[in-house]
Amino acid sequence: MLARVELTKSRTELRLPVHAWLLDARGVEYLLVLARENDIALSGAHYMVIDTNAGNRAWLIVMPKARRARQRMLDMAGVLYDDGRQFIARADGTNAEYYAGHGCEIERMSATPLVFTRQAAALGMPAATPKPLAADPLVASLMAQVAESNLYRELAGLTGVEPVTIGGVTVVITSRHTTSGVPFQKDTQYAFERLGALGLDVSYHYWTKSGYSNRNVIAVK
């Protein structure tokens, strides 16, 4: 089962599989543990069951940015627990798309337990030693080809600060939102033409999802 376990003892003494380490709205730290209830109970820690019979399920940690959006999220099927700061939901169907579309920060709960330094030592695992950083000649050569002025110019065109040329016509990009209609068609056409001019093999990928239809631009080098 998935449970909220209070930090009444150190993480390394808990000896339970910890899959997330979170902070609730009251500033209280807690852990998300995926284990049998008997094992959690035997640990002596205070806990609250979030999802029973977990099986092969996956969970999302979702943080809404707006209070109004939070209430809409909580009314959705699949939301299991709300700590006032973020909530835990099952990663079912199009849940993640829905949350992302409403401006939420989303993180998939780790499928493997977190390993803390002392736990690694107790398990006989080798201590992690940082590898010295070395410059990669290929990366360095690519960086040398990037000019700040080019980046600013591209960004100014994509955000409507400066006009761009699309299909031989001067256009100001007013929106890059999927549902904006003609503006989005111009955006994707601009990307298609710009990437093609760079010598890449470009194509459109048309899609339909949740009542919307539009296109992606695919450029292959």
Side-chain angles (χ1 to χ4, degrees):
M1 62 173 50
L2 180 67
R4 168 179 172 147
V5 175
E6 306 300 329
L7 273 168
T8 52
K9 54 175 68 178
S10 79
R11 301 178 307 279
T12 53
E13 293 173 349
L14 193 60
R15 298 191 180 280
L16 288 172
V18 176
H19 289 255
W21 177 15
L22 302 175
L23 188 73
D24 67 17
R26 296 174 299 152
V28 177
E29 293 178 285
Y30 68 93
L31 308 172
L32 290 182
V33 169
L34 190 58
R36 294 179 301 179
E37 186 171 11
N38 187 52
D39 292 336
I40 300 174
L42 289 174
S43 73
H46 297 294
Y47 69 96
M48 181 187 73
V49 176
I50 293 177
D51 199 359
T52 59
N53 192 24
N56 293 320
R57 287 178 181 160
W59 295 268
L60 302 173
I61 301 169
V62 184
M63 184 177 291
K65 294 182 179 179
R67 185 176 299 177
R68 192 177 301 172
R70 166 179 284 277
Q71 191 53 52
R72 285 200 302 268
M73 303 299 115
L74 294 176
D75 292 338
M76 279 192 67
V79 174
L80 302 168
Y81 174 66
D82 175 27
D83 69 11
R85 186 168 182 264
Q86 61 250 313
F87 58 84
I88 313 302
R90 292 194 184 109
D92 296 337
T94 59
N95 281 1
E97 292 178 19
Y98 180 84
Y99 300 140
H102 286 77
C104 298
E105 293 181 6
I106 308 168
E107 181 181 349
R108 194 178 182 91
M109 194 184 84
S110 173
T112 56
L114 308 179
V115 177
F116 303 102
T117 305
R118 291 182 182 176
Q119 283 179 323
L123 294 170
M125 297 173 64
T129 54
K131 296 181 179 179
L133 295 178
D136 186 318
L138 174 60
V139 174
S141 68
L142 293 173
M143 290 174 64
Q145 297 176 52
V146 178
E148 214 173 74
S149 58
N150 290 342
L151 293 176
Y152 282 127
R153 186 167 59 251
E154 287 288 358
L155 187 60
L158 289 169
T159 57
V161 174
E162 294 181 3
V164 294
T165 300
I166 304 175
V169 178
T170 300
V171 176
V172 174
I173 292 178
T174 57
S175 175
R176 299 191 310 278
H177 197 278
T178 299
T179 60
S180 63
V182 173
F184 189 79
Q185 296 302 308
K186 292 295 184 182
D187 301 341
T188 49
Q189 184 181 347
Y190 173 73
F192 187 99
E193 293 176 359
R194 184 76 184 88
L195 293 165
L198 294 173
L200 303 183
D201 180 16
V202 191
S203 62
Y204 287 121
H205 164 250
Y206 293 88
W207 57 266
T208 299
K209 181 74 173 178
S210 303
Y212 295 106
S213 294
N214 225 309
R215 64 189 183 186
N216 296 321
V217 178
I218 300 175
V220 180
K221 182 174 182 179

